[in-house]
Amino acid sequence: LQSGTGTLGGTLTKAAVGGVANFTGLGANINLVGSKVLRSNKADTSGSGGTTAITRDSNSFTIVHAPASQLVFTTQPANPTGAGTEIASVVEVRDTYGNIVSTGADATATVSLSLQSGTGPLLGSSSMAAVGGVANFSGRNVRLENIGAKVIRATKGDTTGGGGTGSLTQDSSGFTINHGPADHLTVTTQPTDP
């Protein structure tokens, strides 16, 4: 890989046959999207009657993301989180290589948060359309008020009808909701009046 980011994988060295090194079907691949240039090198064979080393670069080409295959919490819920405090999670729609799916139906798919384990309702705006493959729930006032251990689940809706992929889910790391600061007293047993 001469320019661009990522890792070049698969079979990367091949003996030429009739002066041609054909890499078709050998699984050469690049794992990150973006503009790339490949460099090929022919070894120095001048000691056995051949030529010195030769280096050539390919034309520039672009790698695009593969279909959506996973959701990733890039911002997990804070642990612990206070009762009623916003859970400002960020969820990305990614392909099998870890690239953000930034175009197509899955780039704007609806991503929803739900309570996977623990008690109490998940409050606030817990569904949104991803923007460029990113669902940023910051500012949407997603919160839990019941204390205890929790896990939330992100779900990407099925977009197969629009050229995307089926539904995907991913659970957050576990976190604990702690009570907030005391702000009032409640009399639970009133005194009796004789």
Side-chain angles (χ1 to χ4, degrees), residues 54-126:
I54 300 172
T55 300
R56 292 288 181 265
D57 290 345
S58 72
N59 291 331
S60 178
F61 60 97
T62 301
I63 299 291
V64 297
H65 60 75
S69 65
Q70 60 182 317
L71 299 178
V72 176
F73 276 87
T74 57
T75 302
Q76 292 281 350
N79 188 27
T81 295
T85 301
E86 181 180 44
I87 300 169
S89 293
V90 177
V91 179
E92 293 180 351
V93 181
R94 294 188 182 183
D95 68 11
T96 193
Y97 303 103
N99 298 303
I100 295 175
V101 176
S102 58
T103 60
D106 289 320
T108 57
T110 298
V111 177
S112 301
L113 299 179
S114 59
L115 187 61
Q116 174 60 15
S117 69
T119 59
L122 187 62
L123 305 169
S125 299
S126 58

